[in-house]
């Protein structure tokens, strides 16, 4: 007889159907599934909520179709675009929206970048323009008159503003985003045969995507600018790219990265990083890949990846790509309020809704007044021998004694075929509880860990644990599990 401990629950979701023995590794336990659960150090917890920060400043008919962080010096400024055709600056101190431009089109998604300490805004329909906080003014690029385009994407590189439309790339004169015609200074490239769908710049080059390919734009001045094909992993969404941990991440049939972008000779595109959860992507709506959004959450060492789901018009599901246990990457799901836009701002994640809500994510005890429904499902524990019957005296669950722990516990046996037990757990801080038939003084909780003990009176091949919460008062913070006196039967 032995006690088997599972104290590292930080494996994240492993959706591969035939890897059960790997999932129940006692050194690191993967999850069969989970929604609105987060790892925090060695703990798993119910996630934080979503808080509306605009306080009904917009009418419910307004949709927040774009969000931008503009760092003016050391000050982060927050801008939003709405389907009213307006660009607003949100003053958080005064809780006030200040109109900066009106009459814009809402027929396409907005894209933002910064150039020479100015915010650049483009949407493919209105001419690309800049907002200068120093003069509180809109600066027209003039690219429509000069080149007959309006601009779908933009980025800053080599001291110039680069704007794309269709398959063409245009760059301004050095230091002047309104000059597109000066010979041997401003210019354009026609080296790409497909419409450009994504773009991001580094100090060394610009990465450019089409639906089917990746290109690198290199050089330091027009005399040596060149475009070269880099790979065959394309994308459709202009928001499907982000910089994180000195790498570039993007989704193309799974999450991928361009490593080592500081050294052109060492740059490469990785294989799919999300193999553990690739089965979950079967529900991605392939007709709406243009809606994919990736947002870096540097404060938590995460990337939030919003993927459009079949039969869902907006984006209710976010995959959290968690690097806090580096070099391992952990994957888990967050299902909060449906959103249509998202961005990082001042170290946080902000999202915009079709009902005029601007949400700060990962904040609060509810999803803007809606209870957080969370669920964590363990792998099927067979203790090394799935085909052999076994017994165990009890299940011990270890909690953080400084947090409240109110949740539902379900214990299932043999693929849920027999003897499922369900228990409502409610623990106050700093005391232990137990199943009286199996209590032993050795199980008493210490000052940091709080435990419950549930007896197991079953013969089983495998056992699974499910923890869930659904009300405003539900919460949990769990270190791990112990199965006491596991014995294989002959």
């Amino acid at each position: 007889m032995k006690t088997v401990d599972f104290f590292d629950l930080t494996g994240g979701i492993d959706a591969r159907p035939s890897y059960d023995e790997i999932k129940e590794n006692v050194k690191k336990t993967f999850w069969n599934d989970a929604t609105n659960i987060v790892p925090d150090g060695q703990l798993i917890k119910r996630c934080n909520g979503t808080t509306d920060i605009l306080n009904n400043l917009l009418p419910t008919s307004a949709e927040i179709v774009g969000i931008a962080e503009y760092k003016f010096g050391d000050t982060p400024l927050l801008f939003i675009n709405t389907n009213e055709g307006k660009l607003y600056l949100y003053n958080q101190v005064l809780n006030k929206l200040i109109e900066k431009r009106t009459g814009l089109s809402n027929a396409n998604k907005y894209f933002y970048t910064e150039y020479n300490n100015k915010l650049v805004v483009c949407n493919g329909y209105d001419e690309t323009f800049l907002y200068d906080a120093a003069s509180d003014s809109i600066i027209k690029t003039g690219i429509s008159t000069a080149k007959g385009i309006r601009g779908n994407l933009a980025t800053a590189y080599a001291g110039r503003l680069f704007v794309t439309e269709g398959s063409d790339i245009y760059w301004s004169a050095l230091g002047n985003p309104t000059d597109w015609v000066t010979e041997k200074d401003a210019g354009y490239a026609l080296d790409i045969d497909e419409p450009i769908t994504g773009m991001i710049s580094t100090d060394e080059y610009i990465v450019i995507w089409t639906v089917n390919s990746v290109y690198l734009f290199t050089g330091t001045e027009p005399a040596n600018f060149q475009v070269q094909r880099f790979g065959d992993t394309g994308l459709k969404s202009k928001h499907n790219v982000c910089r994180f941990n000195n790498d570039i991440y993007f989704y193309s049939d799974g999450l991928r990265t361009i490593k080592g972008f500081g050294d052109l000779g060492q740059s490469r595109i990785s294989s799919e990083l999300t193999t553990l959860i690739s089965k979950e992507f079967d529900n991605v709506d392939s007709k709406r890949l243009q809606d994919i959004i990736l947002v870096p959450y540097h404060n938590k060492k995460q990337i939030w990846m919003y993927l459009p789901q079949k039969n869902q018009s907006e984006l209710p599901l976010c995959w959290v790509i968690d690097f806090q246990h580096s070099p391992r990457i952990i994957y888990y799901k967050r299902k909060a309020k449906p959103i249509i836009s998202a961005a990082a701002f001042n170290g946080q994640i902000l999202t915009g809704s079709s009902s005029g809500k601007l949400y700060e994510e990962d904040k609060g005890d509810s999803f803007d007044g809606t209870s957080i429904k969370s669920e964590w499902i363990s792998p099927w524990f067979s203790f090394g021998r799935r085909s052999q019957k076994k017994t165990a005296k009890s299940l011990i669950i270890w909690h953080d004694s400084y947090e409240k722990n109110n949740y539902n516990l379900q214990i299932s046996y043999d693929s849920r075929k027999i003897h499922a037990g369900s228990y409502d757990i409610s623990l106050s801080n700093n005391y232990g509880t137990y199943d009286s038939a199996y209590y032993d003084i050795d199980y008493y909780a210490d000052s940091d860990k709080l435990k419950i003990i549930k007896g197991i009176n079953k013969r089983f091949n495998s056992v699974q644990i499910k923890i869930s919460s659904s009300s405003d008062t539900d919460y949990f913070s769990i270190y791990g599990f112990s199965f006491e006196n596991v014995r294989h039967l002959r």
Side-chain angles (χ1 to χ4, degrees), residues 312-324:
Q312 297 281 345
S313 60
E314 299 182 3
L315 298 169
L317 180 64
C318 172
W319 276 98
V320 178
I321 318 298
D322 195 325
F323 297 82
Q324 68 169 303

Side-chain angles (χ1 to χ4, degrees), residues 175-364:
N176 187 351
T178 66
D179 181 355
W180 302 91
V181 297
T182 297
E183 190 176 354
K184 297 183 180 181
D185 198 356
Y188 61 94
L190 305 174
D191 302 294
I192 297 176
D193 297 329
E194 300 177 297
I196 295 168
T197 55
M199 183 165 66
I200 192 169
S201 62
T202 75
D203 291 338
E204 303 296 325
Y205 49 76
I206 306 174
V207 186
I208 299 167
W209 283 265
T210 68
V211 171
N212 298 305
S213 303
V214 187
Y215 296 82
L216 297 183
F217 185 104
T218 62
T220 57
E221 58 184 24
N224 59 22
F225 283 163
Q226 61 178 322
V227 179
Q228 62 188 64
R229 193 172 183 277
F230 185 57
D232 58 0
T233 49
L235 52 81
K236 292 185 178 180
S237 170
K238 61 173 107 177
H239 298 118
N240 182 5
V241 179
C242 72
R243 292 179 62 165
F244 182 83
N245 278 0
N246 292 320
D247 293 319
I248 295 171
Y249 288 83
F250 64 102
Y251 179 91
S252 181
D253 294 324
L255 187 69
R256 302 174 190 273
T257 183
I258 298 178
K259 291 282 189 180
F261 61 71
D263 184 342
L264 181 59
Q266 298 298 317
S267 298
R268 61 181 177 83
I269 300 173
S270 74
S271 57
E272 182 190 352
L273 301 175
T274 43
T275 304
L276 294 182
I277 57 172
S278 58
K279 185 66 178 175
E280 294 276 348
F281 300 153
D282 290 349
N283 200 45
V284 172
D285 189 345
S286 60
K287 298 179 181 179
R288 293 177 51 227
L289 298 181
Q290 70 276 6
D291 293 338
I292 295 174
I293 303 174
L294 265 62
V295 186
Y297 190 2
H298 296 290
N299 282 0
K300 289 288 185 73
K301 298 182 180 179
Q302 298 168 354
I303 294 172
W304 286 28
M305 180 170 68
Y306 288 90
L307 300 179
Q309 304 295 298
K310 295 175 182 176
N311 303 315
Q312 297 281 345
S313 60
E314 299 182 3
L315 298 169
L317 180 64
C318 172
W319 276 98
V320 178
I321 318 298
D322 195 325
F323 297 82
Q324 68 169 303
H325 295 275
S326 180
R328 290 193 294 118
I329 304 175
I330 301 170
Y331 309 97
Y332 44 95
K333 292 182 288 190
R334 176 181 175 88
K335 193 170 184 180
K337 290 286 187 178
I339 60 100
I340 58 176
S341 58
F345 176 74
N346 200 24
Q348 304 298 315
I349 300 281
L350 300 186
T351 58
S353 79
S354 60
S355 57
K357 302 282 189 177
L358 182 64
Y359 297 122
E360 181 176 342
E361 301 286 349
D362 197 24
K363 181 179 180 180

Side-chain angles (χ1 to χ4, degrees), residues 65-69 79-81 87 110-114 119-122 154 239:
V65 294
I67 305 170
E69 179 182 49
F79 283 81
I80 65 171
N81 279 101
L87 173 68
Y110 284 84
F111 188 83
Y112 311 92
T113 191
E114 290 186 24
L119 177 68
V120 182
V121 183
C122 50
H239 298 118

Side-chain angles (χ1 to χ4, degrees), residues 383-428:
F383 309 104
R385 301 179 189 175
R386 182 169 290 277
S387 62
Q388 186 172 3
K389 288 290 185 182
K390 53 196 71 74
T391 62
K393 179 183 178 182
S394 57
L395 166 68
I396 305 170
I397 304 180
W398 300 79
H399 308 78
D400 182 357
S401 64
Y402 298 103
E403 301 277 6
K404 62 182 179 181
N405 286 275
N406 300 321
Y407 61 91
N408 178 263
L409 167 68
Q410 181 175 297
I411 307 173
S412 300
Y413 305 91
D414 299 343
S415 301
R416 301 185 187 275
K417 293 179 181 178
I418 59 170
H419 307 305
S422 180
Y423 312 92
D424 289 325
I425 307 299
S426 180
L427 306 178
S428 299

